[in-house]
Amino acid sequence: MDLLLSIADEYLLDRVYAHLVPLSAFSSSPELVTSLNATSKLLPLAASSTWSQLVSHLPHPPLSHEEFVSLYANPQSIPLVSAWPREYIPRQIASLSVLTMLGIHILYFLFAGLSYNYIFNHDMMRHPRFLKNQVKLEIQCSLRAFPGMTLLTLPWFQAEVRGYSKLYDGLDTYGYFYLFASVPLYLLFTDYCIYWIHRWLHLPFFYKHLHKPHHKWIIPTPFGSHAFHPVDGYLQSIPYHLFIFIFPLHRVLYLTLFILVNFWSIFIHDSDMITGHLFEKVINGPAHHTLHHLYFTVNYGQYFTWADRAGGSYRQPESSLDPLLDVKAKEE
């Protein structure tokens, strides 16, 4: 997220904050008047707009006496810059909140929309257990969850932006072998952690209060991929954030993987039951996750089947389990 924030600052947010919280607004602030009254005779300050007067009461990083004097001496010559610099924590929190909300909405509607229109089999919507207005309900549930998930995730993003993670820039910082090896390491680490978090969410207490809303969708569409209770969705995202505080990972690679795992989460919610492919016993794909929604206590994994095999919760997809058969039976 620090990469996205730096790009947004460079090309957009510096100008936005310069207009919203301009440094020039503080040329008429009570703080300036008090400071200069103690050291010099004041001339009448230049008139300021109502917005500037309001902004002048906002918190901001301490300004030096020299900055106060320059503001007072000639407010009209002050460059259009913000009183909130990039490293100011309230600005970072506000920026991260907006970027996260925009990002998750764009990813959700873009990828889920593409999957729904071009991958999801719409015949599934005639399944006996497909709810009335389900797509609308899935979207509404997701939109309600996003603000809470964003709020819970902000401390991770803020810690990342403040430099506490192990993200790095140079391709050869840890060598090219580690650069490529960090991809399977990231996938294996997050897959195993999510397996256990997901499995614990199926314990009766946690299931009742957190995970049950997601299993409302027995035959999910791609729009059901993010239709969680906010705490449920956040808990299953923790491994993605935790990884970069334990293991080094290239900054661009992390952003790429973060986008791709969101796509994968959408992809496996298309209720598909295509079986017999080469990687079926290794990759936890749409068919495996369809069985999870149908039978609840199988195939908890995110990408791979190994954790389910080790934990005794694996169920092999078979054509005889295809929910599309129920659609055909209903029509006959």
Side-chain angles (χ1 to χ4, degrees):
M1 183 55 73
D2 63 340
L3 177 60
L4 282 179
L5 181 59
S6 64
I7 294 172
D9 279 335
E10 181 69 26
Y11 294 101
L12 176 64
L13 295 181
D14 283 344
R15 292 191 293 275
V16 170
Y17 283 106
H19 284 88
L20 291 179
V21 193
L23 185 62
S24 58
F26 296 89
S27 64
S28 59
S29 69
E31 184 181 0
L32 173 61
V33 173
T34 301
S35 174
L36 291 177
N37 263 328
T39 58
S40 62
K41 295 180 180 180
L42 292 176
L43 296 172
L45 290 171
S48 59
S49 67
T50 302
W51 177 252
S52 294
Q53 291 174 2
L54 291 173
V55 168
S56 68
H57 296 283
L58 291 176
H60 58 83
L63 300 175
S64 68
H65 180 72
E66 290 74 18
E67 288 174 310
F68 275 145
V69 172
S70 66
L71 285 171
Y72 173 74
N74 191 3
Q76 288 77 18
S77 67
I78 300 169
L80 186 60
V81 296
S82 177
W84 285 11
R86 292 183 183 183
E87 65 274 11
Y88 189 45
I89 291 178
R91 167 174 166 167
Q92 290 177 338
I93 292 174
S95 300
L96 288 170
S97 300
V98 172
L99 288 175
T100 302
M101 284 294 288
L102 282 175
I104 190 59
H105 280 81
I106 291 171
L107 285 176
Y108 176 68
F109 283 109
L110 176 62
F111 289 150
L114 289 172
S115 183
Y116 177 78
N117 283 292
Y118 298 106
I119 299 177
F120 175 67
N121 186 344
H122 287 69
D123 290 340
M124 291 294 187
M125 299 173 74
R126 300 198 299 272
H127 191 279
R129 304 183 76 178
F130 194 87
L131 303 179
K132 182 180 179 181
N133 297 322
Q134 181 173 310
V135 173
K136 179 181 178 181
L137 294 173
E138 289 172 333
I139 293 174
Q140 289 175 338
C141 182
S142 299
L143 295 182
R144 287 195 300 269
F146 289 158
M149 291 168 63
T150 296
L151 182 64
L152 292 168
T153 305
L154 275 177
W156 293 100
F157 287 154
Q158 182 67 15
E160 179 189 328
V161 168
R162 302 300 291 182
Y164 296 109
S165 74
K166 295 190 175 184
L167 292 174
Y168 64 90
D169 293 304
L171 292 176
D172 58 349
T173 302
Y174 290 90
Y176 286 96
F177 175 80
Y178 181 79
L179 178 68
F180 289 100
S182 62
V183 174
L185 177 61
Y186 176 86
L187 295 177
L188 290 171
F189 175 86
T190 55
D191 183 66
Y192 191 64
C193 291
I194 291 172
Y195 170 82
W196 283 109
I197 292 171
H198 192 179
R199 187 159 185 170
W200 291 337
L201 283 166
H202 277 260
L203 295 175
F205 176 81
F206 297 115
Y207 182 83
K208 177 182 178 181
H209 295 285
L210 296 177
H211 198 51
K212 188 176 180 179
H214 185 62
H215 275 278
K216 181 179 182 179
W217 331 114
I218 305 298
I219 305 296
T221 77
F223 289 109
S225 59
H226 290 70
F228 288 99
H229 184 288
V231 177
D232 180 3
Y234 166 72
L235 290 174
Q236 295 196 60
S237 75
I238 286 178
Y240 303 128
H241 308 297
L242 181 62
F243 182 88
I244 60 172
F245 290 88
I246 301 176
F247 303 101
L249 188 62
H250 191 275
R251 205 173 305 276
V252 176
L253 185 58
Y254 176 59
L255 179 59
T256 302
L257 289 170
F258 195 80
I259 293 173
L260 290 177
V261 297
N262 272 277
F263 171 76
W264 183 260
S265 296
I266 291 170
F267 177 65
I268 63 175
H269 283 85
D270 70 355
S271 299
D272 183 19
M273 190 58 76
I274 297 175
T275 60
H277 58 82
L278 182 62
F279 301 105
E280 185 175 79
K281 295 185 178 181
V282 178
I283 303 297
N284 187 81
H288 299 78
H289 201 70
T290 295
L291 292 182
H292 175 74
H293 275 262
L294 286 171
Y295 300 105
F296 289 54
T297 57
V298 300
N299 301 344
Y300 297 105
Q302 185 76 351
Y303 317 116
F304 308 110
T305 62
W306 66 286
D308 279 297
R309 292 179 183 279
S313 55
Y314 178 71
R315 183 160 186 176
Q316 176 68 29
E318 300 174 1
S319 58
S320 61
L321 302 175
D322 191 342
L324 192 59
L325 296 175
D326 295 325
V327 175
K328 295 178 179 178
K330 176 185 176 183
E331 292 176 346
E332 291 175 356

